Amino acid sequence: DRAAKEALSEERAEAEAAALEADAAAKALFAEERAAAEAAALAADAEETLALLDGPAGDEAAIEAAREEVEARRQALMDARAARDQISRRSEARTGRLASIEKDLSGWEKRRDAAAAQTKVIAARIADAALELETAEAAPLAIAERRSELIEEVAGAEARLTAAVDALAVIEAQLKDAAQAEKAAEAELSEAREGRARLETRMEAAKERAAEFRKLIEDAAGCAPEEFLERFEIDPELLPNVKDLERAITALRQKRDKLGAVNLRADQELAEVTAERESLSRERADLEAAIGKLRQGVNALNREGRERLLAAFEEVNRNFAALFTHLFDGGDAKLALVESDDPLEAGLEIFCQPPGKRLTSLSLLSGGEQTLTAISLIFAVFMVNPAPICVLDEVDAPLDDANVSRFCDLLDEMTRRTNTRFLIITHHAVSMSRMDRLFGVTMVEKGVSQLVSVDLRTAVSMVDA
């Protein structure tokens, strides 16, 4: 675009200079025509004067002088006419040059518009590529975030599992203590019941024996036992104490009640905790298996991507070297992966060596050489997976006639190698002359466009016939 603007400025400067020169030439032409008219008038006067002179009787010196003056004026007239003709030719040449400059100026403006449109297209492509790159870069982040979430869930599940195991251990300990306490209480209760039964039996036996003793006392002493105690001053405290037995029984009953009720849902709660633990274990195993599969899938995709990229890179590199040599009639070119050993993260560098030059990078070549190199790279990529139709828009605009001929030779070679039909949008005469068919748009009437098609092969055959 900068080169086009500079060329446009130069063409405009040349056009202005040509216009100034044409104005000066027009003024000079006017002056020469006026001088020629004056010379013609003087020549006519001299002719009249010569006619009025008497032949032999006149003054021969005056006649000779008049003739010389007439001859001088005729020579001046001829010189003026020659100068006028030269100025006319120069004016016509400048007019043609001015028209050519106007035509070139129009061409440069069209090229500038085309370059601006191409810049917009490239900017849109860059935006699309940036969006795709952002999406591709966001995918590993999403996977990493999902992996972090899964790890956090696994950690939470492990924490819940640990808490459940601890709670289960506490419940099992409590259940064991309760069972032991229950067994102890049942044993004490059984012992208490046995003791009570024994005491009741002993009490019945004691009552029976007391009744027997009472009867014996009454029979032997002839009085009731109370009277017997008073008579013989016997202390009742020394007799066996029944209340101590009752208090022992009451204490045993209270101790049994303090143990509380037995937890009948302990087995069910243990089963629920065990089921939850097994479920968490299965989920953890599933998560670990999913993470392993995900890592295997990522590694497989990276491995296959590297293999495909390297295979495509080698093929494109071979095609690029062959097409570069074909376009430049010699030289060498190659592609290289730089900045990383991983092909998926490496950059691409283009090295070129045109005939007679040393090996260098693409940025150090001239504009035409860069264009031919870019065309070689585009066709090298295209040959890996050719399409039925390829559209090339003004690719020969920066090239001179010799390089355009090389470009057309490359198109012929591509046509022979592939089954692709190339559609070329161009304004270059050499490119149009090498095509099989031309399509153009002409405006027969103002506001009415018409498509025109010419088969150059048929036209050439008709001319040869």
Side-chain angles (χ1 to χ4, degrees), residues 31-53:
E32 293 293 338
E33 289 179 350
R34 185 173 61 185
E38 292 177 356
L42 292 175
D45 293 340
E47 291 288 342
E48 291 177 357
T49 302
L50 184 62
L52 294 175
L53 292 175

Side-chain angles (χ1 to χ4, degrees), residues 279-291:
S279 176
L280 292 176
S281 298
R282 288 193 299 270
E283 290 179 359
R284 179 179 179 179
D286 293 340
L287 289 175
E288 292 177 351
I291 291 172

Side-chain angles (χ1 to χ4, degrees), residues 151-165 280 284 288:
I151 292 173
E152 291 178 357
E153 292 179 1
V154 170
E158 289 178 351
R160 292 196 300 272
L161 178 60
T162 303
V165 171
L280 292 176
R284 179 179 179 179
E288 292 177 351

Side-chain angles (χ1 to χ4, degrees), residues 323-391:
L323 293 177
F324 183 88
T325 304
H326 181 79
L327 269 180
F328 284 87
D329 291 335
D332 190 15
K334 65 178 180 178
L335 304 175
L337 298 175
V338 296
E339 298 180 359
S340 178
D341 294 334
D342 189 357
L344 298 179
E345 298 178 358
L348 183 66
E349 184 70 23
I350 302 174
F351 295 98
C352 306
Q353 185 179 7
K357 295 185 178 181
R358 61 185 181 86
L359 183 65
T360 183
S361 61
L362 180 64
S363 59
L364 300 179
L365 298 179
S366 64
E369 291 173 341
Q370 289 182 359
T371 302
L372 292 178
T373 304
I375 292 172
S376 301
L377 181 58
I378 291 173
F379 281 145
V381 176
F382 184 78
M383 289 177 64
V384 176
N385 188 15
I389 297 176
C390 179
V391 180

